[in-house]
Amino acid sequence: MLANVREKQDLLHELAALLESPTEHIGAIVVQGAEGVGKSHLLGAALGQARERGCHTAGPVDGRDIAVLHAATALPEPLAGHPLPPDDGVPIVIGVDDSHLADPARLRLDMRWLAKNRPAPCVWVLTTRPDCLSPAAVAAGKVVHVTLGDLPEPGVAALVTEVLGAPPCPDLLSFVAQANGHPRLIIELVTGLRDEGALGNAGGYVRLLHPRIPQQVVLGVRNRICTLSPRCRQMIHVAAALNRQFSLTTVAEMMNEPVAQLLPLLDEATDAGLVVSDGVEPEFRSTMLWQLIRASLPANLRTALHQQAAGRPLTPVARPNPVLARLGEKERTIAQLAAEGMTNQQIAHRVFLSPHTVNYHMRRIFRKLAVTSRIELARLVAASHTS
């Protein structure tokens, strides 16, 4: 039960509707979601439902197997050579996992070839990343999107119950909350706790005996880090030394690289399920992931990275800023960041203070510089740089 029950029901309902449609000869269901939220599980459920309805099925085919289409290639055999069922008029459901990794031209050609050469209805079920456009959007008839995300609290409790065979006590649910609703991480966590003897029975409920992260989870996260490219590993380690939510600008400055060169690395970390970047700032996928990655760094290295972040030069200037010279060292740092457009929350993450303390410093800065707004502050700082 990696997927939310409601989303699974939605997908199977849409599959039945496409198969029974008197007007749609070809259709597609696109299952979107980040790594580890249960897309493959849901794809398998769809193919199983299709077989129960008496349909032919093909796949799931790995998107990586759908090879690049070369210009000189004749009409390709569909699905990269995966055998297709007989053409006997029975509807067919085809599953492609990680369709964003397939060559789009090849996949579209496969879809069009099947639509042209098989008279029976054909439904494609494709999984993909949230930010990727599936070839189904242009090659199929009706396209239905099903989006998977992290599980809400009731879904977390249901998943833990299914994995362990009994409902969890509140202490166990509280411990599992470190996974922030990420289905795969929840499964790895509770199975690790069970296998390492950290769980017990209390009146038909499962309780937590030893609140520690299982060793197999620790090793699993480290193995995922090892699959990253060297530069992406460096970026992840620098970010983990800062906070769960981090500024890409800060990380770029600490790595002495332009922010633009880190964008492919951020995509790589997102694809690996380690980072999400759909908010104001990127952040680690869960509290537990961040803490495990951070703990994997030697203590002296974490300290050095903290010192580098706190003491790095902000903007190189030829001479001291006469406006900021009126302020104390911490106030100068905060004023410069505020002038660059950062919020109090973002500044707090950057300088390792609470938002309340940053707000206190901002009031002192406004009073010392005789300004009443951030706009005035930004203009004053900008003017002093050019004077």
Side-chain angles (χ1 to χ4, degrees):
M1 184 193 143
L2 281 180
N4 192 304
V5 172
R6 179 184 57 80
E7 292 156 335
K8 180 177 180 180
Q9 292 173 341
D10 288 347
L11 181 142
L12 298 182
H13 172 77
E14 295 292 352
L15 177 61
L18 287 172
L19 290 172
E20 295 169 1
S21 173
T23 58
E24 297 291 346
H25 175 65
I26 180 172
I29 300 175
V30 180
V31 183
Q32 294 178 299
E35 185 270 347
V37 298
K39 300 187 299 295
S40 300
H41 176 85
L42 205 52
L43 174 58
L47 294 176
Q49 174 81 350
R51 286 189 287 269
E52 290 178 7
R53 295 176 61 90
C55 300
H56 292 312
T57 60
V61 180
D62 190 319
R64 285 173 283 256
D65 292 340
I66 300 181
V68 176
L69 177 67
H70 299 287
T73 306
L75 185 66
E77 185 179 357
L79 297 180
H82 284 71
L84 288 173
D87 186 5
D88 53 8
V90 175
I92 179 173
V93 178
I94 302 170
V96 180
D97 207 6
D98 290 330
S99 65
H100 56 280
L101 300 178
D103 175 56
R106 176 65 182 261
L107 185 53
R108 284 195 295 268
L109 189 58
D110 284 356
M111 298 174 82
R112 290 170 179 154
W113 187 92
L114 286 167
K116 179 180 179 181
N117 291 280
R118 293 183 70 102
C122 177
V123 176
W124 294 75
V125 183
L126 308 105
T127 70
T128 185
R129 283 188 346 197
D131 56 342
C132 292
L133 177 66
S134 170
V138 294
K142 180 180 180 181
V143 179
V144 177
H145 291 270
V146 177
T147 301
L148 300 183
D150 293 333
L151 296 175
E153 287 186 15
V156 172
L159 179 56
V160 174
T161 300
E162 180 172 327
V163 173
L164 299 178
C169 286
D171 61 344
L172 177 54
L173 278 181
S174 177
F175 188 75
V176 171
Q178 298 178 86
N180 292 87
H182 187 254
R184 191 179 75 180
L185 201 53
I186 292 170
I187 292 175
E188 292 175 349
L189 180 58
V190 296
T191 54
L193 290 170
R194 180 194 60 199
D195 295 345
E196 295 181 16
L199 301 177
N201 185 279
Y205 287 81
V206 182
R207 63 183 295 254
L208 183 64
L209 300 178
H210 307 292
R212 60 172 181 263
I213 302 296
Q215 189 62 23
Q216 65 187 59
V217 174
V218 175
L219 294 176
V221 170
R222 291 181 181 177
N223 287 338
R224 287 161 70 184
I225 296 294
C226 288
T227 65
L228 302 173
S229 66
R231 289 183 66 244
C232 186
R233 284 201 302 272
Q234 180 187 10
M235 183 195 73
I236 286 295
H237 285 143
V238 170
L242 301 178
N243 212 321
R244 182 184 167 193
Q245 186 181 63
F246 56 91
S247 164
L248 198 62
T249 301
T250 302
V251 175
E253 290 176 357
M254 293 176 68
M255 294 176 63
N256 197 28
E257 293 196 35
V259 172
Q261 291 191 10
L262 298 193
L263 297 181
L265 307 183
L266 187 63
D267 285 341
E268 182 182 350
T270 302
D271 289 346
L274 300 173
V275 169
V276 291
S277 54
D278 52 0
V280 176
E281 297 281 10
E283 66 178 5
F284 287 92
R285 184 68 184 275
S286 70
T287 303
M288 186 170 66
L289 266 177
W290 167 58
Q291 291 176 339
L292 289 175
I293 295 172
R294 187 174 184 275
S296 69
L297 296 172
N300 60 342
L301 179 56
R302 289 200 304 270
T303 300
L305 288 171
H306 269 291
Q307 292 173 344
Q308 181 184 356
R312 72 192 193 291
L314 294 169
T315 303
V317 293
R319 58 187 180 276
N321 187 318
V323 172
L324 299 185
R326 307 176 202 169
L327 307 175
E329 181 179 351
K330 184 66 72 175
E331 290 171 340
R332 284 198 299 273
T333 300
I334 292 174
Q336 179 70 63
L337 295 175
E340 291 174 4
M342 286 193 177
T343 65
N344 284 5
Q345 186 75 30
Q346 292 169 328
I347 295 171
H349 282 304
R350 177 73 72 90
V351 298
F352 309 108
L353 295 174
S354 70
H356 176 76
T357 303
V358 171
N359 187 49
Y360 166 77
H361 283 298
M362 286 297 296
R363 291 197 301 268
R364 289 175 57 86
I365 291 167
F366 278 25
R367 186 168 61 252
K368 288 184 176 182
L369 300 183
V371 297
T372 59
S373 71
R374 288 174 181 259
I375 294 177
E376 288 184 40
L377 175 63
R379 288 172 177 167
L380 188 63
V381 172
S384 68
H385 277 311
T386 58
S387 63

